[in-house]
PDB file of all heavy atoms in Angstrom:
ATOM      1  N   VAL A 108      97.548 104.477  58.835  1.00 91.00           N
ATOM      2  CA  VAL A 108      96.387 104.015  58.077  1.00 91.00           C
ATOM      3  C   VAL A 108      95.844 102.692  58.646  1.00 91.00           C
ATOM      4  O   VAL A 108      94.630 102.495  58.742  1.00 91.00           O
ATOM      5  CB  VAL A 108      96.687 103.920  56.562  1.00 91.00           C
ATOM      6  CG1 VAL A 108      97.743 102.890  56.256  1.00 91.00           C
ATOM      7  CG2 VAL A 108      95.448 103.622  55.761  1.00 91.00           C
ATOM      8  N   THR A 109      96.766 101.820  59.087  1.00 90.00           N
ATOM      9  CA  THR A 109      96.329 100.521  59.618  1.00 90.00           C
ATOM     10  C   THR A 109      95.516 100.697  60.911  1.00 90.00           C
ATOM     11  O   THR A 109      94.541  99.985  61.138  1.00 90.00           O
ATOM     12  CB  THR A 109      97.537  99.619  59.913  1.00 90.00           C
ATOM     13  OG1 THR A 109      98.505 100.387  60.596  1.00 90.00           O
ATOM     14  CG2 THR A 109      98.127  99.046  58.659  1.00 90.00           C
ATOM     15  N   SER A 112      92.140 102.077  59.927  1.00 92.00           N
ATOM     16  CA  SER A 112      91.449 101.049  59.162  1.00 92.00           C
ATOM     17  C   SER A 112      90.939  99.931  60.069  1.00 92.00           C
ATOM     18  O   SER A 112      89.822  99.442  59.908  1.00 92.00           O
ATOM     19  CB  SER A 112      92.434 100.519  58.124  1.00 92.00           C
ATOM     20  OG  SER A 112      91.976  99.399  57.535  1.00 92.00           O
ATOM     21  N   GLU A 113      91.754  99.529  61.054  1.00 93.00           N
ATOM     22  CA  GLU A 113      91.324  98.471  61.977  1.00 93.00           C
ATOM     23  C   GLU A 113      90.142  98.917  62.837  1.00 93.00           C
ATOM     24  O   GLU A 113      89.212  98.155  63.086  1.00 93.00           O
ATOM     25  CB  GLU A 113      92.484  98.044  62.879  1.00 93.00           C
ATOM     26  CG  GLU A 113      93.367  97.018  62.189  1.00 93.00           C
ATOM     27  CD  GLU A 113      94.671  96.787  62.916  1.00 93.00           C
ATOM     28  OE1 GLU A 113      94.733  96.994  64.141  1.00 93.00           O
ATOM     29  OE2 GLU A 113      95.643  96.410  62.236  1.00 93.00           O
ATOM     30  N   ASN A 116      87.189  98.944  60.705  1.00 92.00           N
ATOM     31  CA  ASN A 116      86.820  97.559  60.389  1.00 92.00           C
ATOM     32  C   ASN A 116      85.911  96.973  61.478  1.00 92.00           C
ATOM     33  O   ASN A 116      84.919  96.316  61.187  1.00 92.00           O
ATOM     34  CB  ASN A 116      88.088  96.717  60.248  1.00 92.00           C
ATOM     35  CG  ASN A 116      87.770  95.279  59.947  1.00 92.00           C
ATOM     36  OD1 ASN A 116      87.178  94.970  58.943  1.00 92.00           O
ATOM     37  ND2 ASN A 116      88.129  94.405  60.860  1.00 92.00           N
ATOM     38  N   MET A 119      82.502  98.478  61.053  1.00 93.00           N
ATOM     39  CA  MET A 119      81.781  97.928  59.899  1.00 93.00           C
ATOM     40  C   MET A 119      81.350  96.477  60.168  1.00 93.00           C
ATOM     41  O   MET A 119      80.286  96.057  59.715  1.00 93.00           O
ATOM     42  CB  MET A 119      82.653  97.982  58.636  1.00 93.00           C
ATOM     43  CG  MET A 119      83.037  99.375  58.200  1.00 93.00           C
ATOM     44  SD  MET A 119      81.638 100.455  57.881  1.00 93.00           S
ATOM     45  CE  MET A 119      81.147  99.947  56.270  1.00 93.00           C
ATOM     46  N   GLU A 123      77.592  95.008  60.059  1.00 91.00           N
ATOM     47  CA  GLU A 123      77.224  93.784  59.347  1.00 91.00           C
ATOM     48  C   GLU A 123      76.405  92.861  60.262  1.00 91.00           C
ATOM     49  O   GLU A 123      75.404  92.283  59.838  1.00 91.00           O
ATOM     50  CB  GLU A 123      78.525  93.078  58.913  1.00 91.00           C
ATOM     51  CG  GLU A 123      78.350  91.934  57.959  1.00 91.00           C
ATOM     52  CD  GLU A 123      77.946  92.349  56.550  1.00 91.00           C
ATOM     53  OE1 GLU A 123      77.991  93.542  56.219  1.00 91.00           O
ATOM     54  OE2 GLU A 123      77.548  91.443  55.803  1.00 91.00           O
ATOM     55  N   LYS A 126      72.965  94.309  60.740  1.00 90.00           N
ATOM     56  CA  LYS A 126      72.184  94.110  59.511  1.00 90.00           C
ATOM     57  C   LYS A 126      71.635  92.679  59.436  1.00 90.00           C
ATOM     58  O   LYS A 126      70.449  92.469  59.190  1.00 90.00           O
ATOM     59  CB  LYS A 126      73.129  94.353  58.318  1.00 90.00           C
ATOM     60  CG  LYS A 126      72.500  94.987  57.131  1.00 90.00           C
ATOM     61  CD  LYS A 126      73.572  95.387  56.150  1.00 90.00           C
ATOM     62  CE  LYS A 126      73.836  94.307  55.146  1.00 90.00           C
ATOM     63  NZ  LYS A 126      74.789  94.705  54.103  1.00 90.00           N
ATOM     64  N   ARG A 146      79.246 103.764  55.869  1.00 94.00           N
ATOM     65  CA  ARG A 146      80.119 103.674  54.683  1.00 94.00           C
ATOM     66  C   ARG A 146      80.773 105.011  54.370  1.00 94.00           C
ATOM     67  O   ARG A 146      81.940 105.059  53.971  1.00 94.00           O
ATOM     68  CB  ARG A 146      79.308 103.199  53.483  1.00 94.00           C
ATOM     69  CG  ARG A 146      79.117 101.715  53.507  1.00 94.00           C
ATOM     70  CD  ARG A 146      78.442 101.241  52.268  1.00 94.00           C
ATOM     71  NE  ARG A 146      78.346  99.787  52.284  1.00 94.00           N
ATOM     72  CZ  ARG A 146      77.613  99.091  51.457  1.00 94.00           C
ATOM     73  NH1 ARG A 146      76.897  99.700  50.546  1.00 94.00           N
ATOM     74  NH2 ARG A 146      77.581  97.780  51.523  1.00 94.00           N
ATOM     75  N   TYR A 149      83.608 105.361  56.756  1.00 94.00           N
ATOM     76  CA  TYR A 149      84.717 104.471  56.383  1.00 94.00           C
ATOM     77  C   TYR A 149      85.478 105.038  55.175  1.00 94.00           C
ATOM     78  O   TYR A 149      86.706 105.125  55.186  1.00 94.00           O
ATOM     79  CB  TYR A 149      84.165 103.072  56.072  1.00 94.00           C
ATOM     80  CG  TYR A 149      85.142 102.165  55.370  1.00 94.00           C
ATOM     81  CD1 TYR A 149      86.173 101.549  56.063  1.00 94.00           C
ATOM     82  CD2 TYR A 149      85.038 101.940  53.991  1.00 94.00           C
ATOM     83  CE1 TYR A 149      87.082 100.730  55.410  1.00 94.00           C
ATOM     84  CE2 TYR A 149      85.945 101.122  53.340  1.00 94.00           C
ATOM     85  CZ  TYR A 149      86.953 100.519  54.050  1.00 94.00           C
ATOM     86  OH  TYR A 149      87.855  99.726  53.387  1.00 94.00           O
ATOM     87  N   ARG A 150      84.706 105.460  54.147  1.00 93.00           N
ATOM     88  CA  ARG A 150      85.327 105.947  52.921  1.00 93.00           C
ATOM     89  C   ARG A 150      86.187 107.182  53.204  1.00 93.00           C
ATOM     90  O   ARG A 150      87.316 107.281  52.772  1.00 93.00           O
ATOM     91  CB  ARG A 150      84.245 106.288  51.887  1.00 93.00           C
ATOM     92  CG  ARG A 150      84.811 106.727  50.547  1.00 93.00           C
ATOM     93  CD  ARG A 150      83.779 106.897  49.475  1.00 93.00           C
ATOM     94  NE  ARG A 150      82.643 107.669  49.911  1.00 93.00           N
ATOM     95  CZ  ARG A 150      81.405 107.206  49.987  1.00 93.00           C
ATOM     96  NH1 ARG A 150      81.149 105.969  49.652  1.00 93.00           N
ATOM     97  NH2 ARG A 150      80.432 107.978  50.384  1.00 93.00           N
ATOM     98  N   THR A 153      89.302 106.395  55.849  1.00 93.00           N
ATOM     99  CA  THR A 153      90.385 105.490  55.414  1.00 93.00           C
ATOM    100  C   THR A 153      90.870 105.809  53.999  1.00 93.00           C
ATOM    101  O   THR A 153      91.562 105.010  53.389  1.00 93.00           O
ATOM    102  CB  THR A 153      89.958 104.004  55.478  1.00 93.00           C
ATOM    103  OG1 THR A 153      88.889 103.799  54.563  1.00 93.00           O
ATOM    104  CG2 THR A 153      89.540 103.594  56.862  1.00 93.00           C
ATOM    105  N   ASN A 154      90.525 106.991  53.536  1.00 92.00           N
ATOM    106  CA  ASN A 154      91.014 107.395  52.216  1.00 92.00           C
ATOM    107  C   ASN A 154      92.355 108.112  52.396  1.00 92.00           C
ATOM    108  O   ASN A 154      92.446 109.324  52.291  1.00 92.00           O
ATOM    109  CB  ASN A 154      89.972 108.304  51.550  1.00 92.00           C
ATOM    110  CG  ASN A 154      90.274 108.468  50.078  1.00 92.00           C
ATOM    111  OD1 ASN A 154      90.975 107.660  49.484  1.00 92.00           O
ATOM    112  ND2 ASN A 154      89.768 109.543  49.492  1.00 92.00           N
ATOM    113  N   ILE A 155      93.388 107.320  52.707  1.00 91.00           N
ATOM    114  CA  ILE A 155      94.692 107.888  53.048  1.00 91.00           C
ATOM    115  C   ILE A 155      95.703 107.506  51.967  1.00 91.00           C
ATOM    116  O   ILE A 155      95.824 106.334  51.606  1.00 91.00           O
ATOM    117  CB  ILE A 155      95.137 107.371  54.442  1.00 91.00           C
ATOM    118  CG1 ILE A 155      94.105 107.833  55.490  1.00 91.00           C
ATOM    119  CG2 ILE A 155      96.520 107.867  54.796  1.00 91.00           C
ATOM    120  CD1 ILE A 155      94.305 107.230  56.866  1.00 91.00           C
ATOM    121  N   ASP A 156      96.432 108.503  51.473  1.00 92.00           N
ATOM    122  CA  ASP A 156      97.341 108.259  50.352  1.00 92.00           C
ATOM    123  C   ASP A 156      98.566 107.435  50.735  1.00 92.00           C
ATOM    124  O   ASP A 156      99.014 106.587  49.981  1.00 92.00           O
ATOM    125  CB  ASP A 156      97.785 109.593  49.736  1.00 92.00           C
ATOM    126  CG  ASP A 156      96.659 110.236  48.935  1.00 92.00           C
ATOM    127  OD1 ASP A 156      95.716 109.506  48.577  1.00 92.00           O
ATOM    128  OD2 ASP A 156      96.715 111.449  48.686  1.00 92.00           O
ATOM    129  N   GLY A 157      99.138 107.720  51.901  1.00 91.00           N
ATOM    130  CA  GLY A 157     100.360 107.025  52.308  1.00 91.00           C
ATOM    131  C   GLY A 157     100.084 106.047  53.436  1.00 91.00           C
ATOM    132  O   GLY A 157      98.939 105.687  53.683  1.00 91.00           O
ATOM    133  N   GLU A 158     101.189 105.653  54.146  1.00 88.00           N
ATOM    134  CA  GLU A 158     100.956 104.713  55.252  1.00 88.00           C
ATOM    135  C   GLU A 158     100.551 105.423  56.531  1.00 88.00           C
ATOM    136  O   GLU A 158     100.106 104.795  57.494  1.00 88.00           O
ATOM    137  CB  GLU A 158     102.178 103.822  55.478  1.00 88.00           C
ATOM    138  CG  GLU A 158     103.432 104.560  55.842  1.00 88.00           C
ATOM    139  CD  GLU A 158     104.649 103.652  55.914  1.00 88.00           C
ATOM    140  OE1 GLU A 158     104.509 102.437  55.718  1.00 88.00           O
ATOM    141  OE2 GLU A 158     105.742 104.187  56.159  1.00 88.00           O
TER     142      GLU A 158
ATOM    143  N   GLY B  17      98.160 102.403  52.327  1.00 93.00           N
ATOM    144  CA  GLY B  17      97.402 103.478  51.673  1.00 93.00           C
ATOM    145  C   GLY B  17      97.305 103.322  50.164  1.00 93.00           C
ATOM    146  O   GLY B  17      97.328 102.209  49.645  1.00 93.00           O
ATOM    147  N   ARG B  18      97.264 104.485  49.470  1.00 94.00           N
ATOM    148  CA  ARG B  18      97.001 104.456  48.037  1.00 94.00           C
ATOM    149  C   ARG B  18      98.267 104.303  47.186  1.00 94.00           C
ATOM    150  O   ARG B  18      98.382 103.405  46.374  1.00 94.00           O
ATOM    151  CB  ARG B  18      96.279 105.767  47.657  1.00 94.00           C
ATOM    152  CG  ARG B  18      95.776 105.802  46.229  1.00 94.00           C
ATOM    153  CD  ARG B  18      95.028 107.093  45.957  1.00 94.00           C
ATOM    154  NE  ARG B  18      93.801 107.176  46.718  1.00 94.00           N
ATOM    155  CZ  ARG B  18      92.629 106.670  46.329  1.00 94.00           C
ATOM    156  NH1 ARG B  18      92.546 106.022  45.191  1.00 94.00           N
ATOM    157  NH2 ARG B  18      91.560 106.803  47.074  1.00 94.00           N
ATOM    158  N   TRP B  19      99.249 105.200  47.401  1.00 95.00           N
ATOM    159  CA  TRP B  19     100.395 105.279  46.482  1.00 95.00           C
ATOM    160  C   TRP B  19     101.643 104.600  47.033  1.00 95.00           C
ATOM    161  O   TRP B  19     101.951 104.771  48.215  1.00 95.00           O
ATOM    162  CB  TRP B  19     100.723 106.741  46.159  1.00 95.00           C
ATOM    163  CG  TRP B  19      99.543 107.528  45.689  1.00 95.00           C
ATOM    164  CD1 TRP B  19      98.968 108.572  46.322  1.00 95.00           C
ATOM    165  CD2 TRP B  19      98.802 107.343  44.470  1.00 95.00           C
ATOM    166  NE1 TRP B  19      97.891 109.052  45.600  1.00 95.00           N
ATOM    167  CE2 TRP B  19      97.775 108.319  44.454  1.00 95.00           C
ATOM    168  CE3 TRP B  19      98.895 106.451  43.395  1.00 95.00           C
ATOM    169  CZ2 TRP B  19      96.854 108.421  43.417  1.00 95.00           C
ATOM    170  CZ3 TRP B  19      97.980 106.551  42.356  1.00 95.00           C
ATOM    171  CH2 TRP B  19      96.985 107.531  42.375  1.00 95.00           C
ATOM    172  N   LEU B  22     104.424 106.702  48.710  1.00 93.00           N
ATOM    173  CA  LEU B  22     104.139 107.263  50.041  1.00 93.00           C
ATOM    174  C   LEU B  22     104.124 106.217  51.164  1.00 93.00           C
ATOM    175  O   LEU B  22     103.799 106.533  52.294  1.00 93.00           O
ATOM    176  CB  LEU B  22     102.797 108.012  50.027  1.00 93.00           C
ATOM    177  CG  LEU B  22     102.743 109.265  49.155  1.00 93.00           C
ATOM    178  CD1 LEU B  22     101.357 109.861  49.168  1.00 93.00           C
ATOM    179  CD2 LEU B  22     103.758 110.305  49.623  1.00 93.00           C
ATOM    180  N   ARG B  57      94.407  92.216  58.395  1.00 93.00           N
ATOM    181  CA  ARG B  57      93.776  92.796  59.593  1.00 93.00           C
ATOM    182  C   ARG B  57      92.625  93.720  59.221  1.00 93.00           C
ATOM    183  O   ARG B  57      91.629  93.798  59.929  1.00 93.00           O
ATOM    184  CB  ARG B  57      94.820  93.518  60.430  1.00 93.00           C
ATOM    185  CG  ARG B  57      95.736  92.483  61.084  1.00 93.00           C
ATOM    186  CD  ARG B  57      96.915  93.095  61.727  1.00 93.00           C
ATOM    187  NE  ARG B  57      96.561  93.821  62.939  1.00 93.00           N
ATOM    188  CZ  ARG B  57      97.438  94.308  63.777  1.00 93.00           C
ATOM    189  NH1 ARG B  57      98.706  94.155  63.545  1.00 93.00           N
ATOM    190  NH2 ARG B  57      97.053  94.951  64.849  1.00 93.00           N
ATOM    191  N   SER B  58      92.776  94.436  58.121  1.00 93.00           N
ATOM    192  CA  SER B  58      91.687  95.312  57.650  1.00 93.00           C
ATOM    193  C   SER B  58      92.082  95.887  56.294  1.00 93.00           C
ATOM    194  O   SER B  58      93.251  95.797  55.902  1.00 93.00           O
ATOM    195  CB  SER B  58      91.450  96.453  58.629  1.00 93.00           C
ATOM    196  OG  SER B  58      92.614  97.225  58.739  1.00 93.00           O
ATOM    197  N   TYR B  59      91.118  96.463  55.603  1.00 95.00           N
ATOM    198  CA  TYR B  59      91.396  97.052  54.282  1.00 95.00           C
ATOM    199  C   TYR B  59      90.936  98.503  54.244  1.00 95.00           C
ATOM    200  O   TYR B  59      89.743  98.760  54.348  1.00 95.00           O
ATOM    201  CB  TYR B  59      90.652  96.264  53.192  1.00 95.00           C
ATOM    202  CG  TYR B  59      91.179  94.872  52.975  1.00 95.00           C
ATOM    203  CD1 TYR B  59      90.656  93.805  53.685  1.00 95.00           C
ATOM    204  CD2 TYR B  59      92.209  94.626  52.077  1.00 95.00           C
ATOM    205  CE1 TYR B  59      91.138  92.512  53.500  1.00 95.00           C
ATOM    206  CE2 TYR B  59      92.690  93.341  51.888  1.00 95.00           C
ATOM    207  CZ  TYR B  59      92.156  92.287  52.604  1.00 95.00           C
ATOM    208  OH  TYR B  59      92.642  91.020  52.420  1.00 95.00           O
ATOM    209  N   PRO B  60      91.876  99.446  54.053  1.00 95.00           N
ATOM    210  CA  PRO B  60      91.445 100.838  53.928  1.00 95.00           C
ATOM    211  C   PRO B  60      90.794 101.096  52.560  1.00 95.00           C
ATOM    212  O   PRO B  60      91.101 100.399  51.591  1.00 95.00           O
ATOM    213  CB  PRO B  60      92.742 101.639  54.035  1.00 95.00           C
ATOM    214  CG  PRO B  60      93.792 100.679  54.367  1.00 95.00           C
ATOM    215  CD  PRO B  60      93.326  99.317  54.028  1.00 95.00           C
ATOM    216  N   ASN B  61      89.952 102.097  52.505  1.00 95.00           N
ATOM    217  CA  ASN B  61      89.274 102.450  51.255  1.00 95.00           C
ATOM    218  C   ASN B  61      90.266 102.792  50.147  1.00 95.00           C
ATOM    219  O   ASN B  61      90.103 102.387  49.000  1.00 95.00           O
ATOM    220  CB  ASN B  61      88.334 103.633  51.520  1.00 95.00           C
ATOM    221  CG  ASN B  61      87.815 104.248  50.248  1.00 95.00           C
ATOM    222  OD1 ASN B  61      87.210 103.577  49.437  1.00 95.00           O
ATOM    223  ND2 ASN B  61      88.092 105.527  50.056  1.00 95.00           N
ATOM    224  N   SER B  62      91.330 103.531  50.504  1.00 95.00           N
ATOM    225  CA  SER B  62      92.305 103.959  49.489  1.00 95.00           C
ATOM    226  C   SER B  62      92.984 102.745  48.836  1.00 95.00           C
ATOM    227  O   SER B  62      93.247 102.751  47.627  1.00 95.00           O
ATOM    228  CB  SER B  62      93.345 104.894  50.104  1.00 95.00           C
ATOM    229  OG  SER B  62      93.774 104.393  51.332  1.00 95.00           O
ATOM    230  N   LEU B  64      91.666  99.687  48.521  1.00 96.00           N
ATOM    231  CA  LEU B  64      90.681  98.991  47.669  1.00 96.00           C
ATOM    232  C   LEU B  64      90.452  99.761  46.376  1.00 96.00           C
ATOM    233  O   LEU B  64      90.381  99.185  45.289  1.00 96.00           O
ATOM    234  CB  LEU B  64      89.351  98.852  48.424  1.00 96.00           C
ATOM    235  CG  LEU B  64      89.372  98.020  49.706  1.00 96.00           C
ATOM    236  CD1 LEU B  64      88.022  98.098  50.406  1.00 96.00           C
ATOM    237  CD2 LEU B  64      89.732  96.569  49.418  1.00 96.00           C
ATOM    238  N   PHE B  91      85.291  89.248  55.896  1.00 93.00           N
ATOM    239  CA  PHE B  91      85.037  90.568  55.308  1.00 93.00           C
ATOM    240  C   PHE B  91      83.907  90.574  54.272  1.00 93.00           C
ATOM    241  O   PHE B  91      84.098  91.077  53.163  1.00 93.00           O
ATOM    242  CB  PHE B  91      86.314  91.103  54.640  1.00 93.00           C
ATOM    243  CG  PHE B  91      87.473  91.298  55.573  1.00 93.00           C
ATOM    244  CD1 PHE B  91      88.528  90.407  55.576  1.00 93.00           C
ATOM    245  CD2 PHE B  91      87.509  92.375  56.447  1.00 93.00           C
ATOM    246  CE1 PHE B  91      89.597  90.581  56.433  1.00 93.00           C
ATOM    247  CE2 PHE B  91      88.585  92.555  57.306  1.00 93.00           C
ATOM    248  CZ  PHE B  91      89.632  91.649  57.297  1.00 93.00           C
ATOM    249  N   TRP B  93      81.443  92.459  54.253  1.00 93.00           N
ATOM    250  CA  TRP B  93      81.089  93.863  54.004  1.00 93.00           C
ATOM    251  C   TRP B  93      82.068  94.531  53.028  1.00 93.00           C
ATOM    252  O   TRP B  93      81.698  95.468  52.318  1.00 93.00           O
ATOM    253  CB  TRP B  93      80.990  94.641  55.319  1.00 93.00           C
ATOM    254  CG  TRP B  93      82.283  94.764  56.067  1.00 93.00           C
ATOM    255  CD1 TRP B  93      82.793  93.886  56.966  1.00 93.00           C
ATOM    256  CD2 TRP B  93      83.237  95.822  55.945  1.00 93.00           C
ATOM    257  NE1 TRP B  93      84.009  94.324  57.426  1.00 93.00           N
ATOM    258  CE2 TRP B  93      84.299  95.516  56.821  1.00 93.00           C
ATOM    259  CE3 TRP B  93      83.297  96.992  55.205  1.00 93.00           C
ATOM    260  CZ2 TRP B  93      85.407  96.336  56.963  1.00 93.00           C
ATOM    261  CZ3 TRP B  93      84.399  97.815  55.345  1.00 93.00           C
ATOM    262  CH2 TRP B  93      85.444  97.484  56.219  1.00 93.00           C
ATOM    263  N   ASP B  96      80.831  93.652  49.577  1.00 93.00           N
ATOM    264  CA  ASP B  96      79.663  94.484  49.313  1.00 93.00           C
ATOM    265  C   ASP B  96      80.096  95.926  48.987  1.00 93.00           C
ATOM    266  O   ASP B  96      79.565  96.567  48.080  1.00 93.00           O
ATOM    267  CB  ASP B  96      78.791  94.473  50.582  1.00 93.00           C
ATOM    268  CG  ASP B  96      77.357  94.777  50.277  1.00 93.00           C
ATOM    269  OD1 ASP B  96      76.896  94.362  49.204  1.00 93.00           O
ATOM    270  OD2 ASP B  96      76.695  95.435  51.108  1.00 93.00           O
ATOM    271  N   TYR B  97      81.086  96.399  49.735  1.00 94.00           N
ATOM    272  CA  TYR B  97      81.583  97.763  49.547  1.00 94.00           C
ATOM    273  C   TYR B  97      82.230  97.921  48.166  1.00 94.00           C
ATOM    274  O   TYR B  97      81.958  98.894  47.455  1.00 94.00           O
ATOM    275  CB  TYR B  97      82.597  98.098  50.656  1.00 94.00           C
ATOM    276  CG  TYR B  97      83.102  99.520  50.599  1.00 94.00           C
ATOM    277  CD1 TYR B  97      82.380 100.556  51.174  1.00 94.00           C
ATOM    278  CD2 TYR B  97      84.296  99.835  49.952  1.00 94.00           C
ATOM    279  CE1 TYR B  97      82.831 101.871  51.114  1.00 94.00           C
ATOM    280  CE2 TYR B  97      84.753 101.132  49.886  1.00 94.00           C
ATOM    281  CZ  TYR B  97      84.024 102.145  50.466  1.00 94.00           C
ATOM    282  OH  TYR B  97      84.467 103.458  50.387  1.00 94.00           O
ATOM    283  N   GLU B 101      80.098 100.467  46.251  1.00 93.00           N
ATOM    284  CA  GLU B 101      80.672 101.809  46.399  1.00 93.00           C
ATOM    285  C   GLU B 101      81.806 102.089  45.419  1.00 93.00           C
ATOM    286  O   GLU B 101      82.147 103.239  45.196  1.00 93.00           O
ATOM    287  CB  GLU B 101      81.179 102.024  47.834  1.00 93.00           C
ATOM    288  CG  GLU B 101      80.107 101.905  48.895  1.00 93.00           C
ATOM    289  CD  GLU B 101      79.094 103.041  48.868  1.00 93.00           C
ATOM    290  OE1 GLU B 101      79.487 104.168  48.570  1.00 93.00           O
ATOM    291  OE2 GLU B 101      77.906 102.766  49.130  1.00 93.00           O
ATOM    292  N   LYS B 105      79.864 102.707  41.179  1.00 92.00           N
ATOM    293  CA  LYS B 105      80.075 104.139  40.910  1.00 92.00           C
ATOM    294  C   LYS B 105      80.891 104.352  39.642  1.00 92.00           C
ATOM    295  O   LYS B 105      80.623 105.279  38.892  1.00 92.00           O
ATOM    296  CB  LYS B 105      80.720 104.821  42.117  1.00 92.00           C
ATOM    297  CG  LYS B 105      79.681 105.040  43.203  1.00 92.00           C
ATOM    298  CD  LYS B 105      80.194 105.767  44.400  1.00 92.00           C
ATOM    299  CE  LYS B 105      79.004 105.914  45.371  1.00 92.00           C
ATOM    300  NZ  LYS B 105      79.412 106.362  46.692  1.00 92.00           N
TER     301      LYS B 105
END
Side-chain angles (χ1 to χ4, degrees):
Chain A
V108 64
T109 46
S112 168
E113 276 168 26
N116 179 61
M119 297 302 280
E123 191 71 11
K126 215 170 92 175
R146 280 186 176 168
Y149 166 77
R150 183 173 48 243
T153 63
N154 194 21
I155 299 172
D156 287 341
E158 61 186 358
Chain B
R18 188 177 293 274
W19 308 115
L22 294 177
R57 289 170 72 171
S58 61
Y59 291 91
N61 168 57
S62 44
L64 297 174
F91 299 105
W93 65 273
D96 204 35
Y97 184 84
E101 300 291 325
K105 284 183 179 168

